């Protein structure tokens, strides 16, 4: 394995659920603001607006839906606690093991939603974010 | 009853009102005394065998005042008590523990620096940890953390909003931040935080 | 009065006494020259442990002391070229306002050319202590920072990536190191 800029392999293989960076599954996000409110570092920024979806059946009702305008995490501030991932009701956030994204400018460490979505490629993006081993069966003691 | 608790009870035999509470929770005994009897209590505990001074610190009980606590133990850790007293919020002061435990000097210095509590008889309450020129007593709960005031809470918005609400409806408040810290609703949203620029 | 005459216990708690930390030397093979990086770790808190893990084996190339960055120039085979030294200061951990002057002094005392890596959220912005009364909100308030490594803590391998980021310009421009 070689980095894009030619620096050779990184060392040991890490678990796909290592707390490296937080990936966004944009289509799962409902702009509910729960993650931004729970973040102890105040480092998660969401902006959204409301759109009206016309009724699909005659006589039906129009629905209103929230559309995401901005989703950004400031990784210069983030403490990688994972509360945003735990609190998301729709699994729109999950861990990715990538850890190599240092920057020459602090502002570049704020990852906007395109970049956050890009981290989806690295872990097993097909599974839910919190796959856990089943608990050991209780021994009959 | 442990020997340490018995020793304190003996000291307060004639003034039971000054011994405010003796409670044992989860195997640890807390003795709550009147602040005027702080030195008496320390002397009694030291004489009864609690010669190991573990720590002295304080915590803020808001309108009740400040609690000063000292944890004392026998050298073999067979018995230990937490001695506690309550000080008034305006002009909190208490007699020094250094007359009984010399090692308390460093702890009183730190507690003075962080809570502004005066330890009468300790003449060396110099700043210890905070940088030169720091003003204020940061571990008091009314010490305002400037960063929380300057930065807008990203969670104040509702779903479907891209700006913080400017209307007068009740705003969501960030958990753990006392009311009154955040800026008034009349100030424009998103003013000033460096992390909002990007 | 010396510590021995006071009969105090040894501050090393019986462990063998280690010398003061010396810089970790890493040779960075660029296209036409070799940079010798003297990497000094100023460990202020827990991120320092990750630095130690990196230089003691987790980041293999760094632990081995040689990073060959020539692979990016496909087909180019060069010898090691002239050698240039660069001092790299890694600030790993929480910097408090009380300690900030020491960081400044350390930076000022380093010889040119020098580069600074801010390793971890605390030295980047204050991190979990962003609202603290006593923590500096980023070491870039005192000294110029060339690379910011995110993480709380960053993985050891991220230090290697940070050196890549640091040396990117030198690789790209076949450039000389300017102080």
């Amino acid at each position: 394995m070689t980095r894009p800029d030619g620096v050779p392999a990184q060392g040991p293989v890490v678990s796909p659920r290592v707390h490296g960076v937080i990936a966004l599954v944009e289509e799962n996000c409902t702009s509910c603001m729960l993650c931004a409110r729970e973040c102890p570092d105040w480092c998660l920024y969401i902006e959204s607006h409301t759109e009206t979806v016309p009724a699909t059946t005659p006589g039906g009702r129009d629905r209103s839906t929230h559309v995401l305008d901005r989703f950004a995490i400031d990784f210069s501030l983030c403490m990688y606690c994972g509360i945003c991932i735990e609190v998301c009701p729709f699994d729109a956030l999950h861990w990715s093991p990538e850890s190599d994204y240092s920057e020459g400018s602090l502002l570049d460490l704020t990852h906007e939603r395109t970049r956050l979505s890009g981290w989806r490629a690295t872990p097993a993006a097909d599974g839910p974010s919190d796959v856990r081993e089943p608990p050991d069966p209780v021994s009959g003691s | 009853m442990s020997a340490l608790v018995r020793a304190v009870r003996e000291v307060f035999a004639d003034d039971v009102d000054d011994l405010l509470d003796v409670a044992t929770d989860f195997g640890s005994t807390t003795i709550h005394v009147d602040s005027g009897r702080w030195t008496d209590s320390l002397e009694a505990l030291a004489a009864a065998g609690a010669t190991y001074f573990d720590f002295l610190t304080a915590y803020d009980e808001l309108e009740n005042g400040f609690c000063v606590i000292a944890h004392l133990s026998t050298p073999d850790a067979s018995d230990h008590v937490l001695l506690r007293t309550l000080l008034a919020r305006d002009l909190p002061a208490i007699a020094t523990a250094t007359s009984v435990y010399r090692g308390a000097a460093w702890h009183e210095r730190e507690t003075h620096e962080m809570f502004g509590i005066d330890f009468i008889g300790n003449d060396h309450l110099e700043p210890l940890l905070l940088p030169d020129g720091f003003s204020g007593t940061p571990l008091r709960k009314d010490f305002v953390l400037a960063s929380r005031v300057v930065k807008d809470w990203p969670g104040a918005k509702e779903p479907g909003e891209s700006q913080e609400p400017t209307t007068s409806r009740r705003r969501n408040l960030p958990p753990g931040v006392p009311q009154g810290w955040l800026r008034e609703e009349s100030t424009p949203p998103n003013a000033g935080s460096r992390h909002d620029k990007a | 009065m010396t510590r021995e005459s006071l009969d105090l216990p040894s501050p090393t708690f019986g462990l063998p006494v280690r010398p003061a930390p010396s810089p970790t030397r890493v040779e960075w093979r660029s296209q036409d020259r070799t940079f010798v990086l003297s990497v000094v770790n100023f460990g202020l808190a827990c991120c320092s442990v990750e630095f130690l893990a990196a230089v003691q084996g987790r980041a293999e190339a760094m632990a081995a002391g040689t990073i060959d960055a020539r692979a990016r120039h496909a087909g180019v085979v060069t010898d090691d070229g002239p050698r240039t030294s660069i001092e790299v200061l890694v600030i790993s951990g929480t910097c408090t306002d009380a300690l900030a002057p020491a960081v400044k002094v350390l930076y000022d005392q380093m010889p040119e050319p020098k580069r600074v890596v801010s390793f971890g959220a605390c030295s980047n912005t204050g991190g979990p202590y962003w609202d603290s009364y006593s923590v500096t909100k980023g070491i870039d308030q005192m000294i110029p920072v060339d690379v910011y490594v995110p993480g709380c803590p960053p993985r050891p391998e991220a230090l290697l990536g940070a050196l890549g980021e640091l040396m990117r310009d030198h690789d790209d421009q076949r450039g000389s190191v300017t102080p």
Side-chain angles (χ1 to χ4, degrees):
Chain A
M1 194 177 97
T2 306
R3 282 164 43 97
D5 60 358
V7 177
Q10 292 274 314
V13 176
V14 295
S15 151
R17 295 299 172 199
V18 151
H19 292 198
V21 69
I22 295 166
L24 170 69
V25 184
E26 218 177 299
E27 49 274 31
N28 282 3
C29 178
T30 62
S31 324
C32 72
M33 300 298 293
L34 282 182
C35 49
R37 286 181 185 159
E38 292 297 322
C39 176
D41 264 6
W42 297 12
C43 73
L44 211 153
Y45 310 99
I46 296 174
E47 284 169 21
S48 55
H49 68 273
T50 307
E51 277 181 10
T52 306
V53 181
T56 49
T57 52
R61 266 194 212 156
D62 292 351
R63 289 186 302 115
S64 73
T65 178
H66 303 306
V67 180
L68 194 63
D69 296 321
R70 181 187 184 211
F71 193 110
I73 301 179
D74 184 351
F75 286 113
S76 71
L77 197 54
C78 176
M79 65 162 101
Y80 297 80
C81 61
I83 290 176
C84 51
I85 294 170
E86 293 293 321
V87 83
C88 179
F90 304 105
D91 282 344
L93 296 169
H94 62 79
W95 285 116
S96 154
E98 295 289 325
S99 58
D100 192 4
Y101 49 102
S102 50
E103 296 283 356
S105 159
L106 215 47
L107 293 178
D108 291 339
L109 282 176
T110 300
H111 292 193
E112 298 291 338
R113 62 175 170 171
T114 355
R115 198 160 174 205
L116 287 174
S117 302
W119 295 120
R120 287 169 67 177
T122 43
D126 49 355
S129 64
D130 52 353
V131 176
R132 295 191 178 91
E133 293 296 315
D136 291 333
V138 179
S139 57
S141 59
Chain B
M1 196 195 311
S2 80
L4 297 180
V5 175
R6 201 175 317 127
V8 173
R9 283 202 190 279
E10 276 168 23
V11 170
F12 289 92
D14 296 330
D15 331 84
V16 195
D17 290 348
D18 287 351
L19 184 61
L20 302 170
D21 191 27
V22 179
T24 302
D25 292 315
F26 302 104
S28 292
T29 302
T30 303
I31 303 176
H32 189 176
V33 300
D34 185 85
S35 62
R37 307 296 298 274
W38 183 248
T39 317
D40 294 350
S41 312
L42 291 169
E43 282 170 354
L45 285 166
T51 50
Y52 178 72
F53 170 82
D54 185 7
F55 67 83
L56 180 147
T57 186
Y59 61 91
D60 192 340
E61 283 213 343
L62 295 173
E63 61 274 4
N64 289 342
F66 299 101
C67 259
V68 176
I69 53 177
H71 188 237
L72 310 161
S73 162
T74 54
D76 61 359
S78 59
D79 198 3
H80 66 111
V81 294
L82 195 67
L83 190 66
R84 179 164 74 121
T85 189
L86 196 61
L87 305 180
R89 192 164 188 86
D90 53 332
L91 283 185
I94 189 171
T96 180
T98 51
S99 57
V100 188
Y101 300 99
R102 289 280 298 276
W106 197 88
H107 300 244
E108 290 184 352
R109 220 171 129 187
E110 184 180 346
T111 308
H112 173 76
E113 183 176 34
M114 295 296 173
F115 290 93
I117 294 171
D118 206 14
F119 291 90
I120 299 157
N122 185 339
D123 298 327
H124 192 59
L125 295 172
E126 305 290 323
L128 180 65
L129 298 172
L130 294 173
D132 293 341
F134 191 96
S135 69
T137 46
L139 289 193
R140 286 192 183 191
K141 284 183 181 170
D142 56 10
F143 183 87
V144 175
L145 297 174
S147 308
R148 294 268 186 185
V149 179
V150 172
K151 182 168 179 173
D152 288 305
W153 181 46
K157 292 181 246 166
E158 289 294 331
E161 285 178 341
S162 55
Q163 294 264 301
E164 276 187 61
T166 47
T167 56
S168 59
R169 75 168 165 73
R170 204 173 69 81
R171 296 206 308 177
N172 292 297
L173 291 174
V177 179
Q179 272 188 320
W181 277 24
L182 302 175
R183 285 175 295 163
E184 295 304 312
E185 289 178 0
S186 56
T187 48
N190 295 326
S193 164
R194 96 189 208 200
H195 291 287
D196 286 347
K197 277 183 205 160
Chain C
M1 195 182 296
T2 64
R3 175 170 288 277
E4 285 69 29
S5 67
L6 280 170
D7 198 25
L8 291 172
S10 157
T12 60
F13 301 103
L15 297 170
V17 179
R18 288 173 182 274
S22 53
T24 303
R25 276 189 216 290
V26 181
E27 289 192 1
W28 183 277
R29 301 246 163 88
S30 179
Q31 188 185 1
D32 58 351
R33 67 177 62 201
T34 297
F35 295 99
V36 181
L37 309 180
S38 299
V39 188
V40 177
N41 176 35
F42 196 17
L44 301 176
C46 29
C47 281
S48 176
V49 179
E50 305 299 319
F51 178 95
L52 296 174
V55 299
Q56 294 186 0
R58 289 292 292 194
E60 285 165 3
M62 179 135 190
T66 307
I67 298 170
D68 196 337
R70 291 174 295 187
R72 59 185 309 189
H73 305 284
V76 176
V77 178
T78 59
D79 56 15
D80 292 348
R83 295 162 73 86
T84 313
S85 292
I86 305 180
E87 306 285 323
V88 180
L89 174 63
V90 178
I91 309 286
S92 52
T94 316
C95 180
T96 59
D97 290 341
L99 197 75
V103 175
K104 178 90 171 90
V105 166
L106 179 61
Y107 176 78
D108 289 343
Q109 288 178 344
M110 284 174 64
E112 300 278 3
K114 55 192 172 187
R115 299 289 183 269
V116 177
V117 174
S118 169
F119 193 69
C122 284
S123 52
N124 286 346
T125 59
Y129 311 105
W130 68 277
D131 62 349
S132 166
Y133 57 89
S134 61
V135 173
T136 308
K137 310 298 181 285
I139 55 155
D140 53 2
Q141 296 185 359
M142 288 105 49
I143 57 177
V145 173
D146 296 282
V147 177
Y148 299 88
V149 187
C152 189
R155 287 196 60 80
E157 297 83 21
L159 183 63
L160 190 58
L163 292 185
E165 184 72 24
L166 196 67
M167 300 306 293
R168 183 197 300 251
D169 292 345
H170 303 306
D171 287 343
D172 285 349
Q173 300 163 359
R174 314 168 118 231
S176 60
V177 177
T178 47

